[in-house]
Amino acid sequence: CLFLLALSGMALFTPSLFFLTGLFGGGQTTRAIHPWIGVVLFFSFSGLFFRFWKLNLWKGEDNRWLAQAGDLVAGHEERMPEVGKYNAGQKMVFWGMSVLILVLILSGLTIWDTYFFDYTTIPTKRIAVLAHAVAAVVIISVWIVHVYAAIWVRGTISAMTKGSVTGGWAWRHHRKWLKELVTADRNR
């Protein structure tokens, strides 16, 4: 949904990218389906949010991980502190996406004149258009960083697509989480 929204939104944002509307059946169709894809994104992400928000609460280990992120970038992953299921970078992506999707749905509903024209004023719509555009640029940037990081860390793409990781991968990247799983398994 985010990819489709980015393409259709960029097509609607500037005349130089209007050719992208051809992917959606033309300008009028793009304008009609863009908000509906946004609604689908909001509700599908809401399911993910309520499933994972507790696992993404910030902890002290996240501050240490963030302070040592330079080691990770420099290729010294062994120096990184042990983390649970999600590291600080993953948590920042989660919370960033959560906030940005909320801004996008609220601003999008505000400017969706087909259904909500009578409920907002022109000045409010102007602010909403600006907020929508800024949030869209930021969320596309977050998505690009997220994809890059997933490609950069070997084994992450298969973990994201298959939903499981090897013990070796977990030991290398999320050691505290692996220890918690092993301890929980022993206690059963």
Side-chain angles (χ1 to χ4, degrees):
C1 287
L2 183 62
F3 186 69
L4 294 174
L5 284 166
L7 288 175
S8 59
M10 288 186 300
L12 297 171
F13 183 73
T14 177
S16 63
L17 295 176
F18 187 76
F19 69 91
L20 292 173
T21 62
L23 298 170
F24 301 95
Q28 292 300 321
T29 307
T30 304
R31 184 170 164 77
I33 66 171
H34 177 82
W36 286 108
I37 299 170
V39 170
V40 171
L41 173 72
F42 174 75
F43 283 109
S44 60
F45 189 83
S46 294
L48 288 174
F49 177 85
F50 289 115
R51 183 174 176 192
F52 294 115
W53 74 272
K54 284 184 183 177
L55 293 170
N56 284 284
L57 293 175
W58 202 261
K59 298 179 180 173
E61 67 195 32
D62 297 316
N63 294 327
R64 290 188 300 278
W65 188 94
L66 207 54
Q68 291 180 242
D71 287 335
L72 183 65
V73 173
H76 302 293
E77 190 173 355
E78 69 281 355
R79 296 180 189 168
M80 298 301 291
E82 292 184 3
V83 293
K85 188 168 185 175
Y86 300 111
N87 63 42
Q90 292 166 317
K91 289 178 180 182
M92 289 185 339
V93 167
F94 175 82
W95 289 108
M97 295 292 266
S98 299
V99 169
L100 291 165
I101 287 172
L102 187 60
V103 169
L104 287 165
I105 192 70
L106 293 174
S107 60
L109 291 173
T110 302
I111 60 178
W112 197 359
D113 286 344
T114 303
Y115 298 105
F116 304 107
F117 179 79
D118 294 333
Y119 301 105
T120 56
T121 64
I122 297 298
T124 303
K125 289 178 195 303
R126 289 178 180 153
I127 293 167
V129 167
L130 179 62
H132 200 76
V134 169
V137 169
V138 175
I139 203 167
I140 290 168
S141 300
V142 169
W143 182 78
I144 289 169
V145 169
H146 178 62
V147 169
Y148 176 75
I151 293 168
W152 185 35
V153 179
R154 188 181 320 148
T156 301
I157 298 290
S158 65
M160 292 169 67
T161 56
K162 295 178 183 172
S164 62
V165 297
T166 65
W169 189 94
W171 180 258
R172 181 178 176 123
H173 301 289
H174 297 273
R175 190 169 296 178
K176 182 179 174 187
W177 173 58
L178 179 62
K179 288 177 180 178
E180 291 168 359
L181 289 176
V182 171
T183 303
D185 197 36
R186 285 184 188 157
N187 293 334
R188 285 186 190 177

